[in-house]
Amino acid sequence: MKHEGVPEDRLQLLTSITGAFRPGVLTALVGVSGAGKTTLMDVLAGRKTAGYIEGDIHIAGYPKKQQTFARISGYCEQNDIHSPQVTVHESLVYSAWLRLAADINPAFKSVCCCSSSSSCLTKIVTIIISSVHLFSNNFLFSRDGFLLQLE
Amino acid sequence: MKLHQNAEDLGWVLSLMQQFVEEVMELVELMSMRDALVGLPGMTGLSTEQRKRLTIAVELVANPSIIFMDEPTSGLDARAAAIVMRTVRNTVDTGRTVVCTIHQPSIDIFEAFDEVQI
């Protein structure tokens, strides 16, 4: 870039962006190649730490807090990495486990790393719902999500 | 924030959660692939399109209220893209907020979206 006459060491990629995404509405984010679509999502999701992120991000008027936002958001990257030697079901269980607190009963954990027998599934189910409860107690009380539908 | 740690304490939610897990797998239409090995991309195991749906499922088990997807239909043929968009639509219909980046979408994919931000 410097040979092409761009003297700066750092370039600003995103600035002054606002948008509204509504629940139950599928929103497309459209732009030309290099417009910063992926960069914007990386920054919003907090998944990437490369580069510099400065300034403020507000969600519904409140400053974005990464620990909170990571709890209520998901990010499907373009080339996600999956473990080749596990099954679809085990992938889901593993993902669920990574999102739970480190202090959860380890005996529970060992039970759940085995194959997908029905008794094991029951344990997995317990673990996942405890995570769902964690969310429902804090954020999802007013949303028409799974838990609300099931109840 | 304290999680429940005993299965006994959560007996009453087991049937609910059983249903939850089933619904997530049904939502991304991976029920029949449940015990299939994930495998290596382009070589063994799941196809590119099934892999994309697994990526969505892996995020869904955290029960997020907003999901970002980076070009979920890129690199897929028309049929595979349609299947992925169907599962994305299923996800939206659960009341979640879904934001996808798209690039050179076909008309069928473009029309699957409710709103566009440029």
Side-chain angles (χ1 to χ4, degrees), chain A residues 14 29-30 40 73 78 97 99 101 103 105 120 140:
Chain A
L14 300 170
L29 190 57
V30 178
L40 176 63
S73 67
Q78 222 171 114
W97 257 114
R99 289 156 204 272
D103 64 348
N105 192 344
C120 200
L140 302 185

Side-chain angles (χ1 to χ4, degrees), chain A residues 18-33 37-38 41-42 44-45 47 69 71-78 80 82-92 95-96 99-101 103-105 108 116 121-126 128-135 138 140 143-147 149-151, chain B residues 1-7 10 12-25 27 30 33-40 46 51-52 54-71 74 85 88-89 92-103 105 110 112-118:
Chain A
T18 55
F21 306 120
R22 293 186 289 151
V25 173
L26 182 53
T27 308
L29 190 57
V30 178
V32 295
S33 297
K37 306 181 291 294
T38 304
M41 299 229 291
D42 285 345
L44 280 179
R47 194 68 73 91
F69 197 64
R71 285 280 186 212
I72 61 156
S73 67
Y75 185 22
C76 300
E77 290 183 55
Q78 222 171 114
D80 205 0
H82 296 292
S83 307
Q85 308 298 354
V86 300
T87 66
V88 167
H89 184 252
E90 285 164 344
S91 299
L92 298 184
S95 170
R99 289 156 204 272
L100 295 182
D103 64 348
I104 292 187
N105 192 344
F108 223 48
S116 56
L121 180 66
T122 313
K123 296 284 200 317
I124 292 160
V125 156
T126 314
I128 299 176
I129 201 156
S130 51
S131 76
V132 172
H133 266 238
L134 177 72
F135 303 134
N138 289 282
L140 302 185
R143 188 180 63 77
D144 280 324
F146 269 111
L147 200 62
Q149 284 178 357
L150 291 171
E151 278 169 347
Chain B
M1 290 192 281
K2 196 70 189 164
L3 292 169
H4 297 282
Q5 303 212 353
N6 298 315
L10 286 165
W12 65 277
V13 293
L14 290 185
S15 59
L16 278 184
M17 198 53 234
Q18 188 108 30
Q19 212 180 327
F20 178 81
V21 166
E22 300 301 309
E23 280 201 33
V24 167
M25 289 184 103
L27 198 71
L30 279 174
M33 305 301 292
R34 180 198 175 90
D35 294 317
L37 283 178
V38 172
L40 294 163
L46 302 190
R51 217 169 270 278
K52 297 258 185 201
L54 178 62
T55 307
I56 296 170
V58 158
E59 295 301 325
L60 274 177
V61 291
N63 199 18
S65 26
I66 179 165
I67 306 182
F68 299 102
M69 298 181 191
D70 197 4
E71 310 215 1
S74 291
M85 285 313 295
V88 171
R89 172 50 65 183
V92 174
D93 291 342
T94 62
R96 291 181 163 83
T97 307
V98 180
V99 187
C100 298
T101 61
I102 47 171
H103 183 74
F110 190 74
F113 288 90
D114 301 312
E115 285 187 351
V116 176
Q117 300 249 342
I118 301 175

Side-chain angles (χ1 to χ4, degrees), chain A residues 60-71:
Chain A
Y62 295 96
K64 190 189 100 166
K65 197 176 163 198
Q66 183 52 32
Q67 291 135 296
T68 311
F69 197 64
R71 285 280 186 212

